Amino acid sequence: MTPLPPLFPQRISVKQLAMLDTCSCQFLALTQHLLAHGSTDGFDAHVPPLFGRIAAKNHHWETAMLRRYYRSPHTRVIDLEGVAPNTYKDYIGQTYQQQPHLNNIPLPAQHCDNKPHNLFLKDSSPFHQPVTVYHAVQLQSYDNYYGTIPFLVNSGGRWHIQIPKIGSHVRHYTLAQLGLYALLANDILDDVPTTQISPEVHLSSGNVSAHDCDVVRDYGYAVIAEALEMIALVNDEYVDETWWQLRNPCGQCWHCHKAIEQHNDVMQISGVGTSTRESLHQRGVYTLDDLVKAPLSELPSFLDAELLRQAHAQYTQQQERIKRGCDSFVWTEKRHTAILRNEDLPSLQRGDVFLDMELDYLSEASHEDNTGLVYLIGVVGQDIPSPHTRSSTAPSKKIIRAQATWETAPIVNLKHSGDFSALLGMTYWPLWAHNAKEERSIFCQLITFLLKRRKKYPDMRVYHYSYQEKLSLKRASQRYGFYAEELQDLMHSKRGIGQTGIFTDLFKIVKHTIRTGQPGYSLKELEPLFCGQLRRAPGINDGADSLVLYDQLLEASALEQLRRQHGDESTTAASFADQLQMYNEYDCCSMVLLHEWLRMNALDYP
């Protein structure tokens, strides 16, 4: 009998197939690359570094699980990482020879039908031990997809397919992976009832999410069917039309941003996600132009008036940019339903500070806590003792009000952390932490500083952008058991829009008072309105960039420790630290400029 051809024209990995459940746009780009080049080599050049970093962190968690298995007295571990599948039998034979007390255990007799690396696992308990763990089992389906099962565990005749993941809950991408691994394990466990197979996700939060084997295999089949459908579309050269048929573009990745802009997709509207996009498609609305020009009777009833106003704002900005021939113009208007009064956002006082925190949500993952590590806290204000104090070159308001337009202004060359705050007549104070003990210390320093400053300046305010800073303070207080009453007092009284106690959330004020033509309301997206020549220099532009740079800082610091032992005094780590401080300081100083811009443009005096 002539064997059937494989389903996939080229070899494709489980992780690449599972990508379809993270972002179908990324998978479309991968498919085009795969069909054009015959392999996935070079595709990762387009993937943001953060994703590689997450994969590395997941691998660290896998290593931690493996270490735990090795330490268990009732567990036998066969680590197959780096071992070619076709040598599995020989490798196991060597393992027996290295452990003489196991020599009486027979090897599997069968070694044929072109699947030698699968059959050794059919013995229900090859080591006659309570638990046997096979790590990094490399498998390939005849249909041309392959993968490495992180852990395949036999305990009393029951098999566990285990995937370790950094996180507190299971995402669709992980479930897709689990289903595909369960399908790959068919050849290994084809004589084991599915009731005796348990696909599991071991989360760094300490939870184990177990799933029904038949259910996850069906999920795997669905992923394969969808992947084949997309590959067929690309083979038929319907590339331009494929975008509109994608089920779940994430809207966040590099590939989505490029495609959304190219196709003028409705997902560029702030507030439109995949489900709203699908509902609009069902009514023939695909682009921003379609939405703006469509009669209200043809639009879904759940679209609120604010979303439609946002769409019109972005359309107006888009048309104005075409007319002006520039990509940096930002259209803005007041939300006339809101009144921002002077008491909601008073002029800057000497005691006011601007606060920003950098969170590495992948660090310090443990069973007890998976909220990450705040590795850098930045504070900008006046009268702040700091090693980064610099002399001011000009009064703050004069600089703010003399900004050139964003399109034509050259970038001011800020060479070191502390330069920007000095330019505004202020001081930047950075607090660093690289582990839980140091994190506790910097939060103690911050809260102590705020308590003392409030005594000196009773009407002081702490300005921040979005909820993260207050949430991190509350988590630190709960995690380390300190300053609970003091923090409650700092956050207790409510005084106006976006304010709780001494804290004022500028993000809430922005959303309450102005509307722009930008696709979002992050600080970076608003900066063309008020930063002028003080705009960000190319480099670290968002949180993902800063996380990658923080990893580089940690790696450089570790290398420098080794170099010092051999007399080398290289200081690469200091450069990385200064870049991160400049990024953190820029966010603080950007809030200073935003505060003044809002007072000049959004206040309505009764």
Side-chain angles (χ1 to χ4, degrees):
M1 180 183 295
T2 305
L4 293 173
L7 290 175
F8 295 102
Q10 281 86 17
R11 291 179 77 245
I12 188 166
S13 73
V14 162
K15 291 183 178 179
Q16 289 164 348
L17 282 171
M19 184 189 294
L20 190 61
D21 251 40
T22 300
C23 176
S24 48
C25 181
Q26 280 193 58
F27 187 79
L28 173 62
L30 174 72
T31 301
Q32 292 171 316
H33 184 95
L34 194 64
L35 294 173
H37 299 89
S39 74
T40 57
D41 296 343
F43 177 75
D44 288 344
H46 299 297
V47 177
L50 177 62
F51 291 104
R53 182 176 179 280
I54 291 173
K57 291 289 183 179
N58 282 325
H59 181 71
H60 291 330
W61 185 243
E62 181 177 324
T63 304
M65 280 185 62
L66 183 63
R67 191 180 301 116
R68 188 183 309 148
Y69 277 131
Y70 268 120
R71 288 175 180 169
S72 174
H74 302 294
T75 301
R76 289 290 178 265
V77 180
I78 299 180
D79 191 352
L80 301 174
E81 189 167 15
V83 178
N86 58 5
T87 64
Y88 276 180
K89 182 180 177 182
D90 295 336
Y91 182 80
I92 293 173
Q94 294 170 11
T95 304
Y96 291 152
Q97 293 169 12
Q98 291 167 8
Q99 302 180 49
H101 61 285
L102 300 177
N103 282 341
N104 59 336
I105 301 168
L107 285 170
Q110 295 177 320
H111 189 66
C112 55
D113 74 0
N114 298 321
K115 293 190 290 182
H117 57 289
N118 291 348
L119 297 178
F120 79 94
L121 292 173
K122 285 189 174 181
D123 190 337
S124 63
S125 185
F127 282 151
H128 294 184
Q129 295 291 334
V131 179
T132 305
V133 178
Y134 298 93
H135 174 240
V137 183
Q138 304 170 61
L139 301 173
Q140 176 162 347
S141 163
Y142 289 121
D143 289 326
N144 230 6
Y145 68 93
Y146 65 95
T148 301
I149 299 177
F151 294 102
L152 193 58
V153 179
N154 179 269
S155 178
R158 184 174 185 83
W159 290 92
H160 305 262
I161 301 168
Q162 297 178 351
I163 302 179
K165 287 290 180 184
I166 292 281
S168 56
H169 60 280
V170 179
R171 301 181 184 276
H172 287 292
Y173 169 80
T174 304
L175 196 58
Q177 268 189 277
L178 197 61
L180 292 164
Y181 283 137
L183 289 176
L184 279 178
N186 272 340
D187 289 339
I188 303 173
L189 308 173
D190 58 359
D191 58 351
V192 179
T194 55
T195 54
Q196 296 298 310
I197 301 173
S198 178
E200 301 167 352
V201 182
H202 287 242
L203 297 160
S204 59
S205 61
N207 297 326
V208 176
S209 179
H211 299 266
D212 182 272
C213 186
D214 291 326
V215 171
V216 296
R217 281 178 176 173
D218 287 345
Y219 200 107
Y221 281 126
V223 171
I224 289 173
E226 191 171 355
L228 291 171
E229 184 179 344
M230 186 172 294
I231 290 172
L233 285 171
V234 177
N235 274 331
D236 290 339
E237 299 181 353
Y238 295 139
V239 179
D240 290 335
E241 295 300 319
T242 304
W243 167 257
W244 302 113
Q245 301 178 44
L246 297 184
R247 178 173 56 87
N248 62 335
C250 70
Q252 303 296 322
C253 70
W254 178 86
H255 303 285
C256 277
H257 279 301
K258 185 178 177 183
I260 287 170
E261 182 180 355
Q262 176 187 346
H263 296 286
N264 199 24
D265 194 279
V266 289
M267 282 189 76
Q268 67 187 294
I269 302 168
S270 178
V272 173
T274 52
S275 59
T276 303
R277 176 182 186 263
E278 187 176 349
S279 297
L280 289 170
H281 282 190
Q282 292 171 0
R283 291 163 174 79
V285 176
Y286 293 89
T287 66
L288 176 59
D289 293 47
D290 293 341
L291 181 59
V292 169
K293 296 173 182 177
L296 284 176
S297 58
E298 295 180 9
L299 297 176
S301 58
F302 62 80
L303 291 184
D304 60 22
E306 179 52 41
L307 189 143
L308 294 175
R309 291 192 192 101
Q310 181 65 42
H312 279 272
Q314 292 183 219
Y315 177 79
T316 303
Q317 176 173 296
Q318 190 181 87
Q319 297 304 307
E320 190 67 24
R321 284 181 173 182
I322 294 171
K323 180 181 175 181
R324 294 183 179 214
C326 75
D327 293 331
S328 52
F329 169 78
V330 176
W331 181 88
T332 183
E333 69 173 358
K334 289 184 183 180
R335 295 178 190 262
H336 297 294
T337 55
I339 296 177
L340 182 65
R341 302 163 301 175
N342 186 62
E343 54 265 37
D344 292 324
L345 191 69
S347 60
L348 286 182
Q349 306 298 314
R350 192 164 190 82
D352 293 344
V353 295
F354 293 81
L355 177 66
D356 185 60
M357 298 180 186
E358 307 303 332
L359 171 68
D360 181 2
Y361 61 92
L362 296 176
S363 285
E364 296 291 306
S366 68
H367 288 303
E368 295 78 23
D369 197 334
N370 192 48
T371 56
L373 175 80
V374 174
Y375 64 88
L376 176 59
I377 297 175
V379 181
V380 164
Q382 299 180 28
D383 295 337
I384 297 177
S386 168
H388 292 270
T389 300
R390 298 176 186 273
S391 59
S392 175
T393 58
S396 171
K397 289 188 179 180
K398 183 177 178 180
I399 291 177
I400 294 168
R401 293 179 179 175
Q403 294 302 299
T405 59
W406 179 273
E407 305 98 286
T408 59
I411 299 173
V412 170
N413 188 14
L414 303 171
K415 295 182 178 180
H416 301 286
S417 58
D419 287 348
F420 198 168
S421 52
L423 199 61
L424 301 179
M426 297 184 176
T427 304
Y428 171 60
W429 181 33
L431 296 165
W432 281 95
H434 302 303
N435 53 52
K437 183 179 179 181
E438 293 176 358
E439 185 188 51
R440 185 186 190 282
S441 174
I442 64 172
F443 273 108
C444 278
Q445 291 180 62
L446 176 64
I447 296 175
T448 302
F449 164 78
L450 293 177
L451 291 170
K452 288 182 178 178
R453 194 170 182 87
R454 194 187 189 192
K455 285 184 178 180
K456 185 177 180 180
Y457 302 106
D459 294 328
M460 71 166 288
R461 298 195 182 207
V462 178
Y463 293 98
H464 57 100
Y465 202 80
S466 192
Y467 64 90
Q468 185 59 59
E469 281 68 32
K470 283 178 58 183
L471 179 61
S472 294
L473 277 165
K474 290 177 182 177
R475 282 177 172 171
S477 177
Q478 294 168 0
R479 182 184 300 170
Y480 302 119
F482 61 52
Y483 288 125
E485 292 182 6
E486 292 84 350
L487 196 58
Q488 178 69 15
D489 179 53
L490 291 175
M491 296 183 175
H492 180 64
S493 59
K494 193 160 187 175
R495 299 192 295 191
I497 298 170
Q499 300 170 51
T500 49
I502 67 171
F503 292 88
T504 299
D505 187 350
L506 289 175
F507 173 75
K508 288 185 178 179
I509 291 179
V510 166
K511 289 289 287 182
H512 188 76
T513 55
I514 65 168
R515 184 182 298 108
T516 79
Q518 295 288 72
Y521 285 82
S522 68
L523 266 177
K524 183 186 175 186
E525 288 167 311
L526 294 178
E527 281 163 5
L529 293 170
F530 52 80
C531 278
Q533 62 180 332
L534 296 172
R535 56 183 163 145
R536 295 177 190 265
I540 309 177
N541 288 318
D542 56 35
D545 291 340
S546 67
L547 286 174
V548 173
L549 189 62
Y550 181 58
D551 252 12
Q552 293 173 332
L553 167 63
L554 296 179
E555 184 178 350
S557 299
L559 289 173
E560 283 178 18
Q561 273 190 315
L562 294 174
R563 287 171 182 157
R564 287 193 195 99
Q565 295 173 8
H566 297 86
D568 187 346
E569 296 296 329
S570 302
T571 57
T572 311
S575 172
F576 288 136
D578 197 58
Q579 288 181 63
L580 280 167
Q581 287 179 179
M582 287 181 70
Y583 168 75
N584 177 255
E585 180 192 17
Y586 194 101
D587 281 349
C588 293
C589 292
S590 182
M591 283 187 273
V592 177
L593 300 180
L594 172 61
H595 176 280
E596 291 303 297
W597 185 89
L598 285 169
R599 281 189 52 80
M600 290 187 286
N601 294 276
L603 281 179
D604 283 326
Y605 296 97

